[in-house]
Amino acid sequence: MAEDSRRAGTPPEERYQASQSTWDKIAESQNFKDLMATKRSFIVPAFIFFVVYYFALPVLVGYAPQFMATRVGWVNLAYLFALSQFFVAWLIAGLYVRAANNFDRLAKDIVEKAVVAKADSSQGGK
Amino acid sequence: MANISLFMFLLFIAITLGITYWASKRSAGSSAYFAASRQIKGWQNGIAVAGDYMSAASFLGIAGIIAFQGYDGFLFSVGWLVAYLTVLLVIAEPLRNAGKYTMADVLAYRLKPRPVRAMAALSTLTVSTFYMIAQMVGAGALVKLLLGGYVNYNQAVTGVGILMIVYVVFGGMLATTWVQIVKAVLLMAGTILLSILVMAHFGFSFGQFFAAIGHVTYHDAKGATVVKDFLQPGLRYKPPYGPLDLISLGLALIFGTAGLPHILVRFYTVPDAKTARNSVVWAMVLIGSFYIMTTFLGFGAATIVGPDFIKTHGGTNMSAPLLAQALAGNIFFAFISAIAFATILAVVAGLTISATTSFSHDFWTNVIHNGVERKPGEEVLVARISAFGVGAVAITIAIVLGPTANVAFLVALAFAVAASANLPVIVLSIFWRRFNTAGAVSGLGVGLLASIGLILISPSLMAIDPPTVVGTARHLIQAKAWFPLENPGILSIPLGFIGAIVGTLLSNEPTSQQKFNELLVRSNTGLGSEKAGAH
């Protein structure tokens, strides 16, 4: 990538550049607001859930060790709860990837519109 | 035995040098050198992320902690995987969309680049150096133990240092990535094999395996026989401060992983944010499977080898190799030892490239020369030269500390700094419109100082040793610890956030707020993100 090695500090020419007002316009567009709302509606609850679920482990193990030592089959509650963390983490990751396909679709729209708008305006200017 | 070990070590070195030679012809230009031309595939980067993360501390360290302290050691394993949800949900995609080579690229969008990059580079170098020294001391001790007849500690440390410099200087990010991939595959293979052998030992009966874990027998310091249920919590984290320390460790893992520079730079090696996301998922599958298998490694060592034997044959860190020896003889012992060695080499290479990228891109080009590369290839040249510097510093410190040095706390410190300094400013810069330069500088500064300060006065560095403990194995400050926890996260992470928020509120920087929309759009849509280049 020759352009990269010549001007490392500044973004290379091919990177999308726009004026402040363009960025503001995109950020305030309905499409972008929809994208942010869609992302937030998954990420915020997922984040809160996994943090609470995870910290329940050290809290329970630390402050209720006798209860967590309750035998369940071959093992005990403490081990089962720890093991469940792995599967819950994988499940959340899987759900996120599914939800993120939606984010990608919404984001693609915004990017395409922005690129087309830029091409139009630079042609109009000449 | 040392012969087989030596052969396997040399074989791994030969393979990785071959990779480096291959990569060296594809590493011209900044994007190729620092980000492997952004052409690494999602699954490849996922394996490499896993490789970067599964350090000797997790392979040898966690197996050892479980072998000696049972269930509480397994709690480490849980946190190391769950932490990746923060990376997946919050950090990986915005970083890939908006940045170029380092985490500071994201901060520099809306903040004043020079002060922010200078602080970010300082924090990156601090995390990388601490982590690296812990790995180097471990490598030296391991090699000395395994190849005692051939090399001593100083030679081992120097050898590891020279190899990591060679990988990074000649092969850049591409070689580092493939070294990680080879190592991660070896590590997974070794771990799966060991787990199967452990279960074969118990006739593939989980009932027998867990029954044995319920009665681990060993001798305590006074020589009395002890029988303990190793599945019971509380063998390591005892009241009054144990539970709090455990929560503090969890915080450092959950918030620190997403701030580790050598993990963050990996997301710049893929073509786009979607691939970055997929690579995190790949990494989570591997990392999760690995840490579940620490059940077999750690408890297997406790039940089959026993704490007594491990203690007199190299100590906790040798639990996994000794388990391999007990189950399948010397060749397998050599194989597992070689994997441990490969693990250390790969991780130090990953740390070195993240440190040199930050020094060259953030500090040299952007802080000293105001973002202008004065002649073509300067940035890469500076990175290559600084790799020598980083290597020399790491070798020197590891040799001065010596093989018995108490360095386990350095990994905790690296995570604490990443969680308390790096993560707050990355998150606030992406999500908080009001955030500004003063906030970033004070957040990074407070997070860094709080982590280091609290570790200094923690039981890791402050304790009264009996006279039998000598040299660098002694605690730095011979007094009762002022701060009772080994992990400072519970205090240092809030302090980092408070530093960032107070710094922001005390100053006013309208341009940072105006430019927030640009960063918001870029990081969430990928508009104008760095494209993959041709090799």
Side-chain angles (χ1 to χ4, degrees):
Chain A
M1 291 191 74
E3 96 288 338
D4 221 343
S5 53
R6 259 187 276 118
R7 316 186 2 169
T10 50
E13 285 81 356
E14 63 175 80
R15 268 192 97 161
Y16 180 92
Q17 298 294 338
S19 64
Q20 187 60 52
S21 61
T22 310
W23 292 114
D24 292 341
K25 222 165 74 192
I26 299 174
E28 276 142 33
S29 69
Q30 194 54 45
N31 282 358
F32 188 74
K33 283 183 179 155
D34 288 347
L35 170 69
M36 294 309 284
T38 314
K39 285 182 101 163
R40 216 173 294 129
S41 70
F42 181 89
I43 293 174
V44 172
F47 188 82
I48 293 172
F49 175 78
F50 101 74
V51 168
V52 170
Y53 193 78
Y54 172 68
F55 282 101
L57 178 69
V59 168
L60 284 170
V61 162
Y63 294 102
Q66 291 313 315
F67 168 69
M68 294 304 278
T70 313
R71 293 303 291 187
V72 182
W74 294 320
V75 292
N76 58 19
L77 217 51
Y79 184 79
L80 277 185
F81 191 38
L83 196 62
S84 79
Q85 298 276 345
F86 289 89
F87 295 95
V88 168
W90 280 332
L91 181 72
I92 295 175
L95 291 175
Y96 174 73
V97 168
R98 222 179 56 176
N101 283 329
N102 252 332
F103 312 158
D104 291 343
R105 214 167 26 81
L106 293 168
K108 201 173 155 221
D109 263 10
I110 298 167
V111 171
E112 276 168 4
K113 266 192 196 143
V115 172
V116 169
K118 184 166 179 159
D120 286 352
S121 71
S122 62
Q123 267 172 8
K126 275 178 190 169
Chain B
M1 187 173 81
N3 277 321
I4 315 168
S5 296
L6 185 66
F7 172 73
M8 289 192 182
F9 280 32
L10 292 177
L11 187 66
F12 179 76
I13 292 170
I15 293 171
T16 52
L17 288 179
I19 291 173
T20 307
Y21 176 72
W22 165 80
S24 67
K25 292 185 282 184
R26 291 163 180 78
S27 293
S30 289
S31 159
Y33 183 82
F34 293 121
S37 307
R38 308 188 201 282
Q39 291 208 323
I40 302 294
K41 293 186 170 57
W43 64 270
Q44 294 169 342
N45 192 46
I47 300 176
V49 169
D52 249 322
Y53 197 58
M54 299 186 291
S55 66
S58 34
F59 181 47
L60 301 175
I62 292 186
I65 296 172
I66 298 177
F68 280 78
Q69 290 162 329
Y71 176 81
D72 285 9
F74 189 59
L75 289 173
F76 280 79
S77 294
V78 175
W80 291 66
L81 171 72
V82 175
Y84 268 87
L85 285 176
T86 315
V87 179
L88 179 68
L89 298 178
V90 186
I91 297 294
E93 293 172 53
L95 193 82
R96 175 62 188 85
N97 275 334
K100 194 170 177 186
Y101 301 129
T102 63
M103 70 168 196
D105 290 337
V106 178
L107 307 179
Y109 257 106
R110 45 189 292 234
L111 310 179
K112 293 197 187 78
R114 291 176 75 180
V116 167
R117 281 191 191 268
M119 280 305 286
L122 179 67
S123 164
T124 297
L125 288 171
T126 309
V127 173
S128 307
T129 314
F130 286 150
Y131 213 112
M132 199 182 309
I133 290 165
Q135 302 288 327
M136 297 277 277
V137 171
L142 180 78
V143 173
K144 180 180 156 245
L145 213 60
L146 299 168
L147 301 173
Y150 296 97
V151 280
N152 62 30
Y153 172 83
N154 289 358
Q155 290 164 335
V157 166
T158 312
V160 167
I162 290 174
L163 279 169
M164 87 188 187
I165 293 171
V166 169
Y167 298 152
V168 171
V169 168
F170 296 105
M173 185 49 117
L174 186 61
T176 310
T177 303
W178 280 98
V179 169
Q180 296 292 6
I181 293 174
V182 170
K183 161 257 163 128
V185 169
L186 281 173
L187 181 60
M188 286 306 286
T191 309
I192 291 170
L193 219 58
L194 255 179
S195 303
I196 294 172
L197 288 170
V198 167
M199 286 319 291
H201 181 87
F202 291 100
F204 291 101
S205 154
F206 282 96
Q208 280 185 33
F209 177 51
F210 284 108
I213 297 169
H215 304 91
V216 175
T217 311
Y218 59 98
H219 294 87
D220 66 12
K222 295 185 193 97
T225 307
V226 184
V227 181
K228 279 247 164 78
D229 178 358
F230 261 37
L231 217 52
Q232 177 113 20
L235 294 183
R236 179 186 177 94
Y237 292 102
K238 299 187 179 79
Y241 294 114
L244 213 55
D245 218 348
L246 200 54
I247 294 168
S248 191
L249 168 75
L251 284 167
L253 291 175
I254 297 289
F255 294 107
T257 302
L260 287 177
H262 66 296
I263 300 295
L264 298 181
V265 294
R266 294 235 56 91
F267 298 116
Y268 293 123
T269 66
V270 294
D272 53 32
K274 189 177 171 139
T275 320
R277 174 196 313 150
N278 291 338
S279 64
V280 183
V281 174
W282 269 95
M284 285 183 73
V285 170
L286 282 175
I287 292 169
S289 316
F290 173 81
Y291 284 110
I292 288 179
M293 286 189 285
T294 57
T295 298
F296 304 107
L297 265 53
F299 290 121
T303 51
I304 298 168
V305 187
D308 285 346
F309 185 84
I310 300 170
K311 213 178 281 175
T312 52
H313 290 78
T316 45
N317 282 339
M318 287 304 285
S319 302
L322 289 172
L323 175 67
Q325 189 176 34
L327 289 168
N330 285 339
I331 292 191
F332 200 43
F333 173 79
F335 178 58
I336 293 294
S337 307
I339 290 174
F341 175 69
T343 293
I344 293 172
L345 259 183
V347 171
V348 291
L351 290 165
T352 309
I353 192 134
S354 72
T356 54
T357 304
S358 180
F359 180 81
S360 164
H361 179 63
D362 292 331
F363 195 72
W364 184 268
T365 305
N366 281 298
V367 175
I368 299 189
H369 295 107
N370 251 328
V372 183
E373 201 179 21
R374 289 172 307 173
K375 52 181 188 285
E378 186 191 19
E379 204 169 36
V380 172
L381 181 69
V382 171
R384 289 185 157 134
I385 294 169
S386 62
F388 280 99
V390 169
V393 169
I395 293 171
T396 310
I397 297 180
I399 286 178
V400 169
L401 287 173
T404 55
N406 158 23
V407 290
F409 73 91
L410 285 175
V411 173
L413 180 53
F415 271 91
V417 173
S420 319
N422 297 355
L423 188 87
V425 298
I426 300 176
V427 167
L428 293 175
S429 139
I430 301 176
F431 293 103
W432 192 28
R433 188 177 296 268
R434 175 77 170 79
F435 192 53
N436 60 28
T437 307
V441 171
S442 72
L444 285 164
V446 171
L448 192 63
L449 288 177
S451 310
I452 295 176
L454 287 171
I455 288 260
L456 263 177
I457 57 170
S458 78
S460 302
L461 286 174
M462 267 184 100
I464 301 168
D465 293 311
T468 47
V469 180
V470 291
T472 45
R474 286 182 78 80
H475 287 81
L476 189 67
I477 306 166
Q478 291 289 320
K480 198 171 171 303
W482 293 342
F483 181 67
L485 308 181
E486 288 179 2
N487 296 288
I490 201 164
L491 203 56
S492 62
I493 297 169
L495 284 174
F497 273 103
I498 291 171
I501 292 168
V502 170
T504 302
L505 296 179
L506 289 180
S507 61
N508 192 19
E509 190 183 340
T511 52
S512 148
Q513 295 184 47
Q514 282 160 14
K515 284 193 197 155
F516 179 68
N517 277 343
E518 176 176 352
L519 180 62
L520 192 69
V521 172
R522 281 190 190 271
S523 63
N524 280 291
T525 62
L527 180 57
S529 64
E530 291 282 341
K531 299 280 186 296
H535 274 305

